[in-house]
């Protein structure tokens, strides 16, 4: 699966706590295109990325995604709605 991510999304994942080596390798191999990155993910890597991002989505007492975790929420949505996932 090819997934295009923004620089902010790339940086957020790169800086996430407990980044697995498998995802670090995906990020290292990403193709930079201006302010975006193309990630080439297997199904297992996409699942790992989805789980990592989901762990970093935090909500307030009303259930709204907190602004600081919006980038992770956007990635979760992008993966789950990707036609190759």
């Amino acid at each position: 699966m090819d997934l295009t991510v923004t620089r902010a999304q790339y940086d957020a994942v790169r800086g996430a706590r407990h980044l697995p080596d498998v995802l670090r390798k995906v990020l290292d191999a990403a193709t930079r295109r201006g302010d975006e990155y193309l990630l080439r993910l297997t199904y297992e890597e996409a699942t790992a990325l989805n789980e990592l991002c989901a762990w970093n989505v935090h909500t307030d007492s009303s259930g709204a995604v907190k602004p600081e975790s919006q980038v992770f929420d956007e990635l979760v949505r992008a993966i789950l709605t990707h036609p190759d996932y």
Side-chain angles (χ1 to χ4, degrees):
M1 143 180 182
D2 290 347
L3 181 68
T4 301
V5 299
T6 66
R7 175 66 188 246
Q9 292 169 329
Y10 178 90
D11 290 343
V13 173
R14 172 76 68 192
R17 297 172 95 193
H18 311 295
L19 180 66
D21 289 340
V22 67
L23 292 180
R24 183 171 284 115
K25 290 177 186 176
V26 168
L27 296 173
D28 290 344
T31 303
R32 187 171 183 183
R33 300 187 300 187
D35 287 340
E36 296 181 328
Y37 290 82
L38 175 64
L39 306 179
R40 295 191 176 267
L41 302 155
T42 65
Y43 179 80
E44 290 79 11
E45 292 164 344
T47 300
L49 179 59
N50 184 57
E51 289 177 0
L52 176 72
C53 291
W55 290 334
N56 286 282
V57 174
H58 304 288
T59 58
D60 61 20
S61 59
S62 71
V65 175
K66 290 184 176 183
E68 62 271 16
S69 64
Q70 187 67 40
V71 67
F72 291 108
D73 185 58
E74 291 168 358
L75 275 168
V76 168
R77 291 174 192 271
I79 293 166
L80 291 177
T81 60
H82 194 284
D84 294 334
Y85 186 65

